[in-house]
Amino acid sequence: MEKKPHFVRREFLPREVPSISLALLLAAVLLLNALLYLYLNKFYSSLGRVETDPGLCPFGHFKFGAVKNCSPWLSCEAINREVRKLKCVGEGAVKKVFLSEWKEKKVVLSQLTNSELKEDFLHGLKMLKALQSKHVVRLLGYCEQQFTILTEYHPLGSLRGLNETLHIPKYKGMNTWHRRLMLAIDYVSVIRYLHSSPLGTLVMCDSNDLDKVLSQYLLTSDFHVLVNDLDALPLVNRSAGRLVKCGHRELRGEFVAPEQRWPYGDDVPFQDDLMPPYDEKTDIWKIPDVSNFFLGHVEGSDIVRLHLFDIHAACKKKDPAERPSAQEVLDTYRKVLTLLIREAAMPGTREML
C-alpha cells in the first residue's frame, strides 16, 4: 500500500511567527507615533507660547493664582493702601525691586531709583502694558506719578539661577536635555514674539553679555520662561528707515553682534553719532550663546547641540541679512525636539524593521 505523504504543520511556523511579530511591531510603532503626536500637539499648544492666551484678561485687567475673575490694574491709591513691602530683593541702574504682599499674596513692587532714567522706566511700563501675553510677566498695577510698577512674583527668580535651581533636590528631575531644550524654545519664542509684536519689531537691547540677558527673564514655578525687564526695547521700522542703537556707549566682546561693535578700529575714538544703527538680527546672533547656557552639560545635551549646529552657525553669520529670523530658529528647535523625542521613544525601531 502506498503511504500518503504527511504534511508537518511546524514547517510553516517559522514563516508565520515573524509575520505576527512584524505586525505587532508595526502596531506598536503606530501607537507610539499616535501618542507622540498627541503629546507634541499638547506641547505646542501650551508651551508653544502663542501670542494670545484665552485665559488672559481684557486690557487693563489681571488675574492670577486660583482666582477666576479679572480685576482692574491697581491704581496709585490701591497700591499705597493695599500693598506692603517686605524686603528689597534687587536693584539695577533704573529701579529697586521689593518683595511685597497684596491680599496675602506675594507680589513684586518696582520703584525708580534714578530720576535721570525716568524715561527708561516709563518706556518699560509702556511696553509692559502693551505686550501682556504668555511671554511677559503679569502686570498687576502701576502708579506713574510715583514711578511704581506692581507685577506677579515668581519665587524661582531670574534665569541666572537656573543651574542652582536644577541642583535643588525638588527640581533635580527637571535637569534633563528634554526640559532644558524646552526652556530654550521658550526663550526663542519670546524673541520671536518681540520681533513680531503688536507694536512692531522690537529689539532686546539689555543684552550686552550673557549675565545681563539672563537677568531680564524669569523662571516660573512650572518651568517656563517669561521676559521681565522691558526698559530697553527700541522699535525697528524698516519702511520708515528707522533702525536702532543699544545705548550711547561703545559695546565690546564676542557676545554682542559684529554690527554692534565700533567699526572704525582703535585708531578712531568712539563717537556715538558716527556709530551705524542696526536691526533685530542682533538678537539672533546671541541665541546660540543663550541656548548653550540652557542646554548645560547633562546627558544628551551634546546630541541636541549637534542637531542645532547648522541653525546656530547661521545665527552667527557676520552679515545680519544672512541670519535666520526668530521664527525660523523656533521652527528648527521644535523640529529637533520632535525628532529627538521620537528617537527616545522608539530606540532601535529602524534597525528592527
Side-chain angles (χ1 to χ4, degrees):
M1 179 184 292
E2 183 180 352
K3 292 185 178 180
K4 295 182 180 180
H6 294 280
F7 295 97
V8 183
R9 296 176 62 87
R10 65 171 176 263
E11 291 180 0
F12 294 93
L13 289 177
R15 295 182 182 178
E16 293 174 359
V17 172
S19 299
I20 296 172
S21 299
L22 182 60
L24 290 173
L25 178 59
L26 288 173
V29 170
L30 291 173
L31 177 60
L32 283 170
N33 272 300
L35 292 173
L36 180 62
Y37 172 80
L38 292 173
Y39 169 79
L40 290 172
N41 187 55
K42 181 180 179 182
F43 167 77
Y44 289 138
S45 63
S46 62
L47 179 67
R49 322 307 280 163
V50 292
E51 285 73 15
T52 57
D53 175 8
L56 286 175
C57 294
F59 182 81
H61 295 73
F62 74 92
K63 66 177 178 179
F64 70 105
V67 178
K68 293 184 178 180
N69 297 325
C70 295
S71 303
W73 286 335
L74 300 187
S75 63
C76 296
E77 180 184 359
I79 291 174
N80 291 333
R81 185 180 65 250
E82 301 173 12
V83 176
R84 181 171 65 93
K85 291 180 185 177
L86 299 178
K87 63 178 179 179
C88 179
V89 292
E91 183 173 3
V94 178
K95 53 186 177 287
K96 185 177 288 189
V97 179
F98 297 90
L99 175 62
S100 305
E101 192 174 58
W102 174 71
K103 293 187 176 180
E104 299 183 351
K105 296 182 180 68
K106 297 289 192 303
V107 293
V108 173
L109 188 72
S110 302
Q111 292 184 317
L112 178 69
T113 55
N114 186 345
S115 60
E116 295 180 0
L117 297 175
K118 64 182 180 181
E119 292 303 319
D120 291 337
F121 184 91
L122 293 176
H123 177 75
L125 173 58
K126 176 184 175 182
M127 295 294 104
L128 196 54
K129 290 193 290 184
L131 298 175
Q132 285 294 289
S133 69
K134 293 180 72 173
H135 305 284
V136 180
V137 69
R138 188 168 290 143
L139 178 64
L140 308 180
Y142 64 91
C143 180
E144 286 193 33
Q145 298 93 315
Q146 298 174 8
F147 298 99
T148 299
I149 299 173
L150 193 70
T151 55
E152 189 173 10
Y153 171 63
H154 293 280
L156 296 183
S158 79
L159 288 176
R160 284 189 296 190
L162 174 63
N163 288 324
E164 289 76 11
T165 297
L166 289 172
H167 282 94
I168 297 173
K170 178 181 178 181
Y171 298 110
K172 278 189 175 181
M174 297 287 195
N175 196 17
T176 63
W177 70 262
H178 174 250
R179 178 60 64 174
R180 283 176 171 271
L181 179 55
M182 288 164 69
L183 290 174
I185 289 175
D186 264 6
Y187 165 71
V188 177
S189 296
V190 173
I191 299 298
R192 190 277 312 268
Y193 175 61
L194 295 178
H195 288 185
S196 57
S197 82
L199 301 178
T201 302
L202 300 167
V203 181
M204 194 66 176
C205 265
D206 259 344
S207 56
N208 298 333
D209 57 64
L210 178 61
D211 192 64
K212 187 64 175 176
V213 171
L214 298 175
S215 71
Q216 309 302 303
Y217 296 86
L218 295 171
L219 179 65
T220 67
S221 297
D222 58 350
F223 272 70
H224 289 307
V225 174
L226 297 175
V227 63
N228 180 51
D229 195 329
L230 304 174
D231 294 345
L233 210 61
L235 178 69
V236 169
N237 188 338
R238 286 191 185 83
S239 60
R242 182 193 302 166
L243 299 178
V244 305
K245 287 192 287 187
C246 292
H248 303 287
R249 59 184 178 83
E250 184 177 0
L251 301 179
R252 296 177 178 269
E254 292 298 315
F255 188 82
V256 296
E259 64 271 23
Q260 292 184 281
R261 303 171 208 154
W262 179 242
Y264 303 116
D266 295 335
D267 295 335
V268 181
F270 177 81
Q271 288 182 256
D272 183 44
D273 57 343
L274 296 180
M275 179 67 197
Y278 33 83
D279 62 17
E280 78 280 2
K281 290 299 183 74
T282 59
D283 289 334
I284 304 300
W285 171 274
K286 299 161 188 173
I287 286 175
D289 299 290
V290 180
S291 289
N292 188 54
F293 167 81
F294 277 120
L295 293 175
H297 300 284
V298 298
E299 182 181 356
S301 62
D302 286 342
I303 299 298
V304 178
R305 287 185 179 90
L306 183 63
H307 282 81
L308 296 177
F309 180 85
D310 288 342
I311 191 68
H312 283 173
C315 291
K316 290 294 187 179
K317 294 281 189 181
K318 188 171 183 180
D319 183 355
E322 294 181 4
R323 295 174 205 154
S325 67
Q327 182 64 62
E328 290 170 322
V329 178
L330 181 60
D331 290 343
T332 301
Y333 274 42
R334 286 174 169 171
K335 288 176 183 176
V336 168
L337 177 64
T338 302
L339 172 66
L340 292 178
I341 289 177
R342 181 179 291 119
E343 289 183 352
M346 297 177 289
T349 300
R350 187 177 303 167
E351 290 78 4
M352 292 169 67
L353 293 174

